[in-house]
Each structure stands twice: as structure tokens, then as C-alpha cells.
Coordinates of all heavy atoms in Angstrom, one line a residue:
M258 N 50.6 13.6 -15.3 CA 49.2 13.9 -15.5 C 48.4 13.0 -14.6 O 48.6 11.8 -14.4 CB 48.8 13.5 -17.0 CG 47.4 13.8 -17.3 SD 47.0 13.2 -18.9 CE 47.5 14.5 -20.0
M259 N 47.4 13.6 -13.9 CA 46.5 12.9 -12.9 C 45.2 12.5 -13.6 O 44.6 13.2 -14.4 CB 46.1 13.8 -11.8 CG 47.1 13.7 -10.6 SD 46.6 14.9 -9.4 CE 45.7 13.9 -8.3
K260 N 44.8 11.3 -13.2 CA 43.5 10.8 -13.8 C 42.5 11.1 -12.7 O 42.7 10.9 -11.5 CB 43.6 9.3 -14.0 CG 44.5 8.9 -15.2 CD 44.3 7.5 -15.5 CE 45.1 7.1 -16.7 NZ 45.0 5.7 -17.0
K261 N 41.3 11.5 -13.2 CA 40.2 11.8 -12.3 C 39.3 10.5 -12.3 O 39.1 9.9 -13.3 CB 39.4 13.0 -12.8 CG 40.1 14.3 -12.7 CD 39.1 15.4 -13.0 CE 39.8 16.7 -12.9 NZ 38.9 17.8 -13.2
T262 N 38.9 10.2 -11.1 CA 38.0 9.0 -11.0 C 36.6 9.5 -11.3 O 36.2 10.6 -11.0 CB 38.0 8.4 -9.6 OG1 37.7 9.4 -8.6 CG2 39.4 7.9 -9.3
L263 N 35.9 8.6 -11.9 CA 34.5 8.9 -12.3 C 33.6 8.5 -11.1 O 33.7 7.4 -10.6 CB 34.0 8.1 -13.5 CG 34.7 8.6 -14.8 CD1 34.3 7.6 -16.0 CD2 34.4 10.0 -15.2
L264 N 32.7 9.4 -10.7 CA 31.8 9.1 -9.6 C 30.5 8.6 -10.2 O 30.0 9.1 -11.2 CB 31.5 10.3 -8.8 CG 32.8 10.9 -8.0 CD1 32.3 12.1 -7.3 CD2 33.3 9.9 -7.1
T265 N 30.0 7.5 -9.7 CA 28.7 7.0 -10.2 C 27.7 7.2 -9.1 O 28.0 7.1 -7.9 CB 28.8 5.5 -10.5 OG1 29.1 4.8 -9.4 CG2 29.8 5.3 -11.7
I266 N 26.5 7.5 -9.5 CA 25.4 7.7 -8.5 C 24.5 6.4 -8.6 O 24.1 6.0 -9.7 CB 24.6 8.9 -8.9 CG1 25.5 10.2 -8.8 CG2 23.4 9.1 -8.0 CD1 24.8 11.4 -9.3
D267 N 24.3 5.8 -7.4 CA 23.4 4.7 -7.4 C 22.0 5.1 -7.6 O 21.5 6.0 -6.9 CB 23.5 4.0 -6.0 CG 24.9 3.4 -5.8 OD1 25.6 3.0 -6.8 OD2 25.3 3.2 -4.6
E268 N 21.4 4.5 -8.6 CA 20.0 4.9 -8.9 C 19.1 4.1 -7.9 O 19.2 2.9 -7.7 CB 19.7 4.5 -10.3 CG 20.4 5.4 -11.3 CD 19.9 5.1 -12.7 OE1 18.8 4.6 -12.9 OE2 20.7 5.4 -13.6
P269 N 18.1 4.8 -7.3 CA 17.2 4.1 -6.4 C 16.3 3.2 -7.2 O 16.0 3.4 -8.4 CB 16.4 5.2 -5.8 CG 16.5 6.4 -6.8 CD 17.8 6.2 -7.5
E270 N 15.8 2.2 -6.5 CA 14.9 1.2 -7.2 C 13.6 1.9 -7.5 O 13.1 2.8 -6.7 CB 14.6 0.1 -6.2 CG 15.8 -0.8 -5.9 CD 15.4 -2.0 -5.0 OE1 14.2 -2.3 -5.0 OE2 16.3 -2.5 -4.4
P271 N 13.0 1.6 -8.6 CA 11.7 2.2 -9.0 C 10.6 1.9 -8.0 O 10.6 0.7 -7.5 CB 11.4 1.7 -10.4 CG 12.3 0.5 -10.6 CD 13.4 0.7 -9.6
R272 N 9.9 2.8 -7.6 CA 8.8 2.6 -6.6 C 7.6 1.9 -7.3 O 7.3 2.2 -8.4 CB 8.3 3.9 -6.0 CG 9.4 4.5 -5.1 CD 8.8 5.7 -4.4 NE 7.5 6.1 -4.8 CZ 6.9 7.2 -4.4 NH1 7.4 8.0 -3.6 NH2 5.7 7.5 -4.8
K273 N 6.9 1.1 -6.5 CA 5.7 0.6 -7.0 C 4.6 1.6 -6.7 O 4.2 1.9 -5.6 CB 5.4 -0.8 -6.3 CG 4.1 -1.5 -6.8 CD 3.9 -2.8 -6.1 CE 2.7 -3.4 -6.6 NZ 2.4 -4.7 -5.9
V274 N 4.1 2.1 -7.8 CA 3.1 3.2 -7.7 C 1.7 2.7 -7.7 O 1.3 1.9 -8.7 CB 3.3 4.3 -8.8 CG1 2.3 5.4 -8.7 CG2 4.7 4.8 -8.7
M275 N 0.9 3.0 -6.7 CA -0.5 2.6 -6.8 C -1.3 3.7 -7.4 O -1.1 4.9 -7.2 CB -1.1 2.5 -5.3 CG -0.7 1.1 -4.7 SD -1.4 0.9 -3.1 CE -3.1 1.4 -3.3
R276 N -2.2 3.4 -8.3 CA -3.1 4.3 -9.0 C -4.4 4.4 -8.2 O -5.0 3.3 -8.0 CB -3.2 4.0 -10.4 CG -1.9 4.2 -11.2 CD -2.1 4.2 -12.6 NE -3.2 5.0 -13.1 CZ -3.5 5.1 -14.3 NH1 -2.8 4.5 -15.3 NH2 -4.6 5.8 -14.7
A277 N -4.9 5.5 -8.0 CA -6.1 5.7 -7.3 C -7.4 5.3 -8.1 O -8.4 4.9 -7.5 CB -6.3 7.1 -6.8
D278 N -7.2 5.3 -9.4 CA -8.4 4.9 -10.2 C -8.5 3.5 -10.6 O -9.4 3.0 -11.3 CB -8.4 5.8 -11.5 CG -7.1 5.6 -12.3 OD1 -6.1 5.1 -11.8 OD2 -7.2 5.9 -13.5
R279 N -7.5 2.7 -10.2 CA -7.5 1.2 -10.5 C -7.3 0.4 -9.2 O -6.3 0.7 -8.5 CB -6.4 0.9 -11.5 CG -6.6 1.5 -12.8 CD -5.6 1.0 -13.8 NE -5.7 1.7 -15.0 CZ -4.7 1.7 -15.9 NH1 -3.6 1.2 -15.7 NH2 -4.9 2.4 -17.1
P280 N -8.1 -0.6 -9.0 CA -7.9 -1.5 -7.8 C -6.6 -2.3 -8.0 O -6.2 -2.6 -9.1 CB -9.1 -2.4 -7.8 CG -9.7 -2.3 -9.1 CD -9.3 -1.0 -9.7
P281 N -5.9 -2.6 -6.9 CA -4.7 -3.4 -7.0 C -5.0 -4.8 -7.6 O -6.1 -5.3 -7.5 CB -4.2 -3.5 -5.6 CG -5.2 -3.0 -4.7 CD -6.2 -2.2 -5.6
T282 N -4.0 -5.5 -8.1 CA -4.2 -6.8 -8.7 C -3.7 -7.9 -7.9 O -4.0 -9.1 -8.1 CB -3.5 -6.9 -10.1 OG1 -2.1 -6.6 -9.9 CG2 -4.1 -5.9 -11.1
E283 N -3.0 -7.6 -6.8 CA -2.4 -8.7 -5.9 C -2.3 -8.2 -4.5 O -2.2 -7.0 -4.3 CB -1.1 -9.2 -6.4 CG 0.0 -8.1 -6.5 CD 1.3 -8.6 -7.1 OE1 1.2 -9.5 -7.9 OE2 2.3 -8.0 -6.7
G284 N -2.4 -9.1 -3.5 CA -2.2 -8.7 -2.1 C -3.5 -8.3 -1.5 O -4.6 -8.5 -2.0
F285 N -3.3 -7.6 -0.4 CA -4.5 -7.1 0.4 C -4.3 -5.6 0.7 O -3.1 -5.1 0.8 CB -4.5 -7.8 1.8 CG -4.8 -9.3 1.6 CD1 -3.7 -10.2 1.5 CD2 -6.1 -9.8 1.5 CE1 -3.9 -11.5 1.3 CE2 -6.3 -11.2 1.4 CZ -5.2 -12.0 1.2
V286 N -5.4 -4.8 0.6 CA -5.3 -3.4 0.8 C -6.3 -2.9 1.8 O -7.4 -3.4 1.9 CB -5.6 -2.7 -0.6 CG1 -5.5 -1.2 -0.5 CG2 -4.7 -3.2 -1.7
T287 N -5.8 -1.9 2.6 CA -6.8 -1.3 3.5 C -7.6 -0.2 2.7 O -7.0 0.5 1.9 CB -6.1 -0.6 4.7 OG1 -5.1 0.3 4.3 CG2 -5.5 -1.6 5.6
V288 N -8.9 -0.2 2.9 CA -9.7 0.8 2.2 C -10.3 1.6 3.3 O -11.1 1.2 4.2 CB -10.8 0.1 1.4 CG1 -11.7 1.1 0.7 CG2 -10.2 -0.9 0.4
V289 N -10.0 2.9 3.3 CA -10.5 3.9 4.3 C -11.5 4.8 3.7 O -11.1 5.5 2.8 CB -9.3 4.6 4.9 CG1 -9.8 5.6 6.0 CG2 -8.3 3.7 5.5
D290 N -12.7 4.7 4.2 CA -13.8 5.5 3.6 C -13.9 5.5 2.1 O -14.1 6.5 1.4 CB -13.7 7.0 4.1 CG -14.0 7.1 5.6 OD1 -14.6 6.3 6.2 OD2 -13.5 8.2 6.2
G291 N -13.7 4.3 1.6 CA -13.9 4.1 0.1 C -12.6 4.3 -0.7 O -12.7 4.2 -1.9
H292 N -11.5 4.7 -0.1 CA -10.3 5.0 -0.8 C -9.2 3.9 -0.5 O -8.9 3.7 0.7 CB -9.8 6.4 -0.5 CG -10.7 7.4 -0.8 ND1 -10.9 8.0 -2.1 CD2 -11.6 8.1 0.0 CE1 -11.8 8.9 -2.0 NE2 -12.3 9.0 -0.8
F293 N -8.6 3.4 -1.5 CA -7.5 2.5 -1.3 C -6.3 3.2 -0.7 O -5.9 4.3 -1.1 CB -7.0 1.9 -2.7 CG -8.0 1.0 -3.3 CD1 -8.6 1.4 -4.5 CD2 -8.4 -0.2 -2.8 CE1 -9.5 0.6 -5.1 CE2 -9.3 -1.0 -3.4 CZ -9.9 -0.6 -4.6
K294 N -5.7 2.6 0.4 CA -4.6 3.2 1.1 C -3.4 2.3 1.0 O -2.7 2.3 0.0 CB -5.0 3.5 2.5 CG -6.1 4.6 2.6 CD -5.7 5.9 2.1 CE -6.8 6.9 2.2 NZ -6.4 8.2 1.6
S295 N -3.1 1.6 2.1 CA -1.9 0.8 2.2 C -2.0 -0.6 1.6 O -3.1 -1.3 1.8 CB -1.4 0.7 3.6 OG -1.2 2.0 4.1
E296 N -1.0 -1.1 1.0 CA -1.0 -2.5 0.4 C -0.1 -3.4 1.2 O 0.9 -3.0 1.7 CB -0.5 -2.4 -1.1 CG -0.7 -3.7 -1.8 CD -0.4 -3.5 -3.3 OE1 -0.4 -2.3 -3.8 OE2 -0.1 -4.5 -3.9
F297 N -0.6 -4.6 1.4 CA 0.1 -5.6 2.3 C 0.1 -7.0 1.6 O -0.7 -7.2 0.7 CB -0.6 -5.8 3.6 CG -0.7 -4.5 4.4 CD1 -1.8 -3.6 4.3 CD2 0.3 -4.1 5.2 CE1 -1.9 -2.5 5.0 CE2 0.3 -2.9 5.9 CZ -0.8 -2.1 5.8
D298 N 1.1 -7.8 2.0 CA 1.2 -9.1 1.4 C 0.2 -10.1 2.0 O -0.2 -11.1 1.4 CB 2.6 -9.6 1.5 CG 3.6 -8.8 0.6 OD1 3.2 -8.3 -0.4 OD2 4.8 -8.7 1.0
T299 N -0.1 -9.9 3.3 CA -1.0 -10.9 4.0 C -2.2 -10.2 4.6 O -2.1 -9.0 4.8 CB -0.2 -11.6 5.2 OG1 0.1 -10.6 6.1 CG2 1.0 -12.3 4.7
V300 N -3.2 -10.9 4.8 CA -4.5 -10.4 5.3 C -4.2 -10.0 6.8 O -4.8 -9.0 7.3 CB -5.6 -11.4 5.1 CG1 -5.5 -12.6 6.0 CG2 -7.0 -10.7 5.4
E301 N -3.4 -10.7 7.5 CA -3.1 -10.4 8.9 C -2.5 -9.0 9.1 O -2.8 -8.3 9.9 CB -2.3 -11.5 9.6 CG -2.9 -12.8 9.7 CD -2.9 -13.7 8.5 OE1 -2.1 -13.4 7.5 OE2 -3.6 -14.7 8.4
A302 N -1.5 -8.7 8.2 CA -0.9 -7.4 8.2 C -1.8 -6.3 7.9 O -1.8 -5.2 8.5 CB 0.3 -7.4 7.3
A303 N -2.7 -6.5 6.9 CA -3.7 -5.5 6.6 C -4.7 -5.3 7.7 O -5.1 -4.1 8.0 CB -4.4 -5.9 5.3
E304 N -5.1 -6.4 8.4 CA -6.1 -6.2 9.5 C -5.4 -5.5 10.7 O -6.1 -4.7 11.3 CB -6.6 -7.6 9.9 CG -7.6 -8.2 9.0 CD -8.1 -9.5 9.4 OE1 -7.6 -10.1 10.4 OE2 -9.0 -10.0 8.7
T305 N -4.2 -5.8 10.9 CA -3.5 -5.2 12.0 C -3.4 -3.7 11.8 O -3.6 -2.9 12.7 CB -2.0 -5.8 12.2 OG1 -2.1 -7.2 12.4 CG2 -1.3 -5.1 13.3
A306 N -3.0 -3.3 10.6 CA -2.9 -1.8 10.3 C -4.3 -1.2 10.3 O -4.5 -0.1 10.8 CB -2.3 -1.7 8.9
G307 N -5.3 -1.9 9.8 CA -6.7 -1.4 9.9 C -7.2 -1.2 11.3 O -7.9 -0.2 11.6
R308 N -6.9 -2.1 12.2 CA -7.3 -2.0 13.6 C -6.6 -0.9 14.3 O -7.2 -0.2 15.2 CB -7.1 -3.4 14.3 CG -8.0 -4.5 13.8 CD -8.0 -5.7 14.7 NE -8.5 -6.8 14.0 CZ -9.8 -7.0 13.8 NH1 -10.7 -6.1 14.1 NH2 -10.3 -8.1 13.2
K309 N -5.4 -0.6 14.0 CA -4.7 0.5 14.6 C -5.3 1.8 14.2 O -5.5 2.7 15.0 CB -3.2 0.5 14.1 CG -2.3 -0.5 14.8 CD -0.9 -0.3 14.4 CE 0.0 -1.4 15.0 NZ 1.4 -1.3 14.5
L310 N -5.7 1.9 12.9 CA -6.4 3.1 12.4 C -7.8 3.2 13.1 O -8.2 4.3 13.5 CB -6.6 3.0 10.9 CG -5.5 3.5 10.0 CD1 -5.8 3.2 8.6 CD2 -5.2 4.9 10.2
K311 N -8.5 2.1 13.2 CA -9.8 2.1 13.8 C -9.8 2.5 15.3 O -10.6 3.2 15.8 CB -10.5 0.7 13.7 CG -11.9 0.6 14.0 CD -12.7 1.3 12.9 CE -14.2 1.0 13.1 NZ -15.0 1.8 12.2
T312 N -8.7 2.1 16.0 CA -8.5 2.5 17.4 C -8.3 3.9 17.5 O -8.8 4.6 18.4 CB -7.4 1.7 18.0 OG1 -7.6 0.3 17.9 CG2 -7.2 2.0 19.5
A313 N -7.4 4.5 16.6 CA -7.1 5.9 16.7 C -8.2 6.8 16.2 O -8.4 7.9 16.7 CB -5.8 6.2 15.9
Y314 N -8.9 6.3 15.2 CA -10.0 7.1 14.6 C -11.2 6.2 14.4 O -11.5 5.7 13.3 CB -9.6 7.6 13.2 CG -8.3 8.4 13.2 CD1 -7.1 7.8 12.9 CD2 -8.2 9.7 13.7 CE1 -5.9 8.5 12.9 CE2 -7.1 10.4 13.7 CZ -5.9 9.8 13.4 OH -4.7 10.5 13.4
P315 N -12.0 6.1 15.5 CA -13.2 5.1 15.4 C -14.3 5.5 14.4 O -15.1 4.7 14.1 CB -13.7 5.1 16.9 CG -13.1 6.3 17.5 CD -11.9 6.7 16.8
M316 N -14.3 6.8 14.0 CA -15.3 7.2 13.0 C -15.1 6.7 11.6 O -16.0 6.8 10.8 CB -15.5 8.7 13.1 CG -14.4 9.5 12.4 SD -12.8 9.4 13.1 CE -12.8 10.7 14.2
L317 N -13.9 6.2 11.3 CA -13.6 5.8 9.9 C -14.3 4.5 9.6 O -14.4 3.6 10.5 CB -12.1 5.6 9.8 CG -11.3 6.9 9.8 CD1 -9.8 6.6 9.7 CD2 -11.7 7.9 8.8
Q318 N -14.6 4.3 8.4 CA -15.1 3.0 7.9 C -13.9 2.3 7.2 O -13.4 2.8 6.2 CB -16.3 3.2 6.9 CG -16.7 1.8 6.3 CD -17.8 2.0 5.3 OE1 -18.3 3.1 5.1 NE2 -18.3 0.9 4.7
I319 N -13.4 1.2 7.7 CA -12.3 0.6 7.2 C -12.6 -0.8 6.7 O -13.3 -1.6 7.4 CB -11.2 0.5 8.3 CG1 -10.8 1.9 8.7 CG2 -9.9 -0.3 7.8 CD1 -9.8 2.0 9.8
E320 N -12.2 -1.1 5.5 CA -12.4 -2.4 4.9 C -11.0 -3.0 4.5 O -10.1 -2.3 4.2 CB -13.3 -2.3 3.6 CG -14.6 -1.7 3.9 CD -15.4 -1.4 2.6 OE1 -14.8 -1.0 1.7 OE2 -16.6 -1.6 2.6
I321 N -11.0 -4.3 4.3 CA -9.8 -5.0 3.8 C -10.2 -5.5 2.4 O -11.2 -6.3 2.3 CB -9.4 -6.2 4.7 CG1 -9.1 -5.7 6.1 CG2 -8.2 -6.8 4.1 CD1 -8.1 -4.6 6.3
Y322 N -9.5 -5.1 1.4 CA -9.8 -5.6 0.0 C -8.8 -6.7 -0.4 O -7.6 -6.6 -0.3 CB -9.6 -4.4 -1.0 CG -9.8 -4.7 -2.4 CD1 -11.0 -4.9 -2.9 CD2 -8.7 -4.9 -3.3 CE1 -11.2 -5.3 -4.3 CE2 -8.9 -5.2 -4.6 CZ -10.1 -5.4 -5.1 OH -10.3 -5.7 -6.4
D323 N -9.4 -7.8 -0.8 CA -8.6 -9.0 -1.3 C -8.6 -8.9 -2.8 O -9.6 -9.1 -3.4 CB -9.3 -10.3 -0.8 CG -8.6 -11.5 -1.2 OD1 -7.5 -11.4 -1.9 OD2 -9.0 -12.6 -0.9
A324 N -7.4 -8.6 -3.3 CA -7.3 -8.4 -4.8 C -7.5 -9.7 -5.6 O -8.0 -9.6 -6.7 CB -5.9 -7.8 -5.1
A325 N -7.1 -10.8 -5.0 CA -7.2 -12.1 -5.7 C -8.7 -12.4 -5.9 O -9.1 -12.9 -7.0 CB -6.5 -13.2 -5.0
N326 N -9.5 -12.2 -4.9 CA -11.0 -12.6 -5.0 C -11.8 -11.4 -5.3 O -13.0 -11.5 -5.5 CB -11.4 -13.1 -3.6 CG -10.8 -14.4 -3.3 OD1 -10.4 -15.2 -4.2 ND2 -10.5 -14.7 -2.0
K327 N -11.2 -10.2 -5.4 CA -11.9 -8.9 -5.7 C -13.1 -8.7 -4.7 O -14.2 -8.4 -5.1 CB -12.4 -8.9 -7.1 CG -11.2 -8.9 -8.1 CD -11.7 -8.8 -9.5 CE -10.5 -8.8 -10.4 NZ -10.9 -8.8 -11.8
A328 N -12.8 -8.9 -3.4 CA -13.8 -8.8 -2.4 C -13.4 -7.9 -1.2 O -12.2 -7.8 -0.9 CB -14.1 -10.2 -1.8
R329 N -14.4 -7.2 -0.6 CA -14.1 -6.3 0.5 C -14.7 -6.9 1.7 O -15.8 -7.4 1.7 CB -14.7 -5.0 0.2 CG -14.0 -4.2 -0.9 CD -14.7 -2.9 -1.1 NE -14.1 -2.2 -2.3 CZ -14.0 -0.9 -2.4 NH1 -14.4 -0.1 -1.4 NH2 -13.5 -0.4 -3.5
T330 N -14.0 -6.8 2.9 CA -14.5 -7.2 4.1 C -14.4 -6.1 5.1 O -13.4 -5.5 5.3 CB -13.6 -8.4 4.7 OG1 -13.5 -9.4 3.7 CG2 -14.2 -8.9 6.0
L331 N -15.6 -5.7 5.7 CA -15.7 -4.6 6.6 C -15.0 -5.0 7.9 O -15.2 -6.1 8.5 CB -17.1 -4.3 6.9 CG -17.4 -3.1 7.8 CD1 -16.8 -1.8 7.2 CD2 -18.9 -2.9 8.1
L332 N -14.1 -4.1 8.4 CA -13.4 -4.3 9.7 C -14.2 -3.8 10.8 O -14.5 -2.6 10.8 CB -12.0 -3.7 9.6 CG -11.0 -4.1 10.6 CD1 -10.6 -5.5 10.5 CD2 -9.8 -3.2 10.4
S333 N -14.6 -4.6 11.7 CA -15.5 -4.1 12.8 C -14.7 -4.0 14.1 O -13.6 -4.4 14.3 CB -16.7 -5.0 13.0 OG -16.3 -6.3 13.2

């Protein structure tokens, strides 16, 4: 009699889901035309991403949102 080996499927890690109707509680977020987009751990990373967007699409209004201080800074 042969024994069959059981195959296990590795479950992916649960994704951190951002909700559009709630501001983030930690980190820094790029805000494009009033909408929360990408989340970053540092303000430098958020500014770098925002500047790349601003270079490619100069008509966008891009802000950096600081979740700890609940403040927005316009990226010029």
C-alpha cells in the first residue's frame, strides 16, 4: 500500500488595506488631487515619490500627509 503525501499551500500574508474613506493612522502618504494614494514609512520616501509624479504630471496637486501630526504639506 502506498501512502500519498499531503500537499500544503502556503497562504500569502494578509495585505494591509487602505480605506479611501479613512485617513491613515501612521506614516506618510502622498495625496494626489485630494485622494490618498501611496503610504510610506519616511517623509523622504513620500517626497521622492511625489516629486516623480510631479515631474511626469505637472498639472497634479500633490501633498504629503503626516499621519502622526494630521497635517498636509503641499509639494511644490
Side-chain angles (χ1 to χ4, degrees):
M258 185 187 274
M259 268 177 99
K260 289 186 177 181
K261 291 185 178 181
T262 58
L263 294 175
L264 299 177
T265 60
I266 299 174
D267 293 331
E268 293 186 23
E270 293 182 23
R272 291 184 356 183
K273 183 177 179 183
V274 178
M275 279 183 47
R276 292 194 44 178
D278 60 340
R279 294 187 186 159
T282 57
E283 60 185 27
F285 299 89
V286 181
T287 54
V288 181
V289 180
D290 289 340
H292 300 278
F293 293 114
K294 294 297 179 182
S295 302
E296 191 170 336
F297 300 93
D298 292 330
T299 64
V300 68
E301 292 83 13
E304 285 180 354
T305 302
R308 291 191 197 289
K309 283 184 184 178
L310 279 172
K311 191 72 168 174
T312 302
Y314 306 100
M316 74 293 271
L317 294 178
Q318 179 182 356
I319 300 176
E320 300 171 322
I321 305 299
Y322 177 75
D323 181 0
N326 297 328
K327 297 181 180 177
R329 295 179 185 212
T330 306
L331 184 62
L332 195 64
S333 55

